[in-house]
Amino acid sequence: MRILLVEDDQMVAEAISVALKDAAYAVDWVRDGETALRAIANQEHQVILLDLGLPKMDGCTLLQHLRAAGNAIPAIIISARDALADRIEGLDLGADDYLVKPFAMDELLARLRAIIRRQGGQGSPMLENGFLKLDLSTHIAQVHETCVLLTHREFALLQALLLRPGAVLSRTQLEERLYGWNEGVESNSIDFLIHGLRKKLGAEVIKNVRGAGWMVPRQS
């Protein structure tokens, strides 16, 4: 999952970025609403974490622009504004969730997992396709009776594929979901991760579509 963090407080942004990267998310950070709009137009993100008190364009205005344009990207507001009226306004403008600062990072991660489950069309804390299960909170993958703890990158790659079983994701699409703007990407990094996943879980877990990319099979 690639997340756009829109936050003008550097200390807060750095703390959130570290927590998200430790949980296997790719994070892009911008400081103002106008830059956020350009980032959303030029890069695919799965979730926005949005502060309200931003320079150039505040968070509410940014959210209005997105929803008016038909952009349904999930958005979690993270704000120190704790009044009931502020929370209601944010949700009514199209936010999917609202967290009041200061908040526990574990709570933010749990709310992100809930959004991921909805994107995958599942209410369970697992993503699955019939024979393969992925626990979003523990990063444990299960094939039949075999359970394996995945590395952060392995988890992120398998999660991206399991969110769209049967769909082929190219190398570029996978790299975009695994790496933020400032992270270097080795030319063979995706191949290396897929090799590791197949070694741990079996070659049938991830299928290669020659010249197109990789997929996990649909539920049988």
Side-chain angles (χ1 to χ4, degrees), residues 129-157:
N129 70 339
F131 66 91
L132 169 65
K133 297 180 180 180
L134 182 64
D135 191 311
L136 298 178
S137 59
T138 64
H139 294 193
I140 291 176
Q142 179 178 350
V143 177
H144 307 304
E145 301 303 317
T146 301
C147 295
V148 179
L149 178 63
L150 304 181
T151 68
H152 290 339
R153 296 288 193 206
E154 289 171 344
F155 168 79
L157 190 150

Side-chain angles (χ1 to χ4, degrees), residues 165-204:
V168 178
L169 296 185
S170 68
R171 182 184 307 276
T172 299
Q173 288 174 315
L174 289 171
E175 288 175 349
E176 287 177 347
R177 284 161 173 76
L178 269 65
Y179 299 96
W181 289 331
N182 298 320
E183 296 180 271
V185 184
E186 298 290 337
S187 60
N188 65 341
S189 59
I190 299 299
D191 304 85
F192 178 79
L193 290 169
I194 289 173
H195 174 76
L197 284 166
R198 285 172 168 165
K199 187 174 181 180
K200 290 179 178 181
L201 301 171
E204 78 280 4

Side-chain angles (χ1 to χ4, degrees), residues 63-129:
L63 198 52
Q64 283 179 309
H65 277 289
L66 291 175
R67 299 312 186 225
N71 191 323
I73 183 172
I76 299 178
I77 290 175
I78 50 172
S79 175
R81 300 178 190 176
D82 60 355
L84 177 60
D86 290 318
R87 285 178 278 154
I88 290 173
E89 180 185 18
L91 293 169
D92 282 345
L93 286 173
D96 296 81
D97 208 340
Y98 194 116
L99 265 176
V100 176
K101 298 175 184 175
F103 50 80
M105 290 299 177
D106 285 345
E107 182 178 5
L108 173 60
L109 295 174
R111 291 176 187 243
L112 282 169
R113 289 194 295 271
I115 285 177
I116 293 169
R117 291 197 299 270
R118 292 200 296 273
Q119 289 185 326
Q122 301 185 38
S124 165
M126 298 274 192
L127 292 177
E128 56 182 300
N129 70 339

Side-chain angles (χ1 to χ4, degrees), residues 19-39:
L20 292 177
K21 289 176 182 178
D22 285 345
Y25 295 100
V27 186
D28 298 326
W29 168 38
V30 297
R31 299 171 181 260
D32 64 82
E34 289 184 357
T35 305
L37 268 184
R38 292 195 294 272

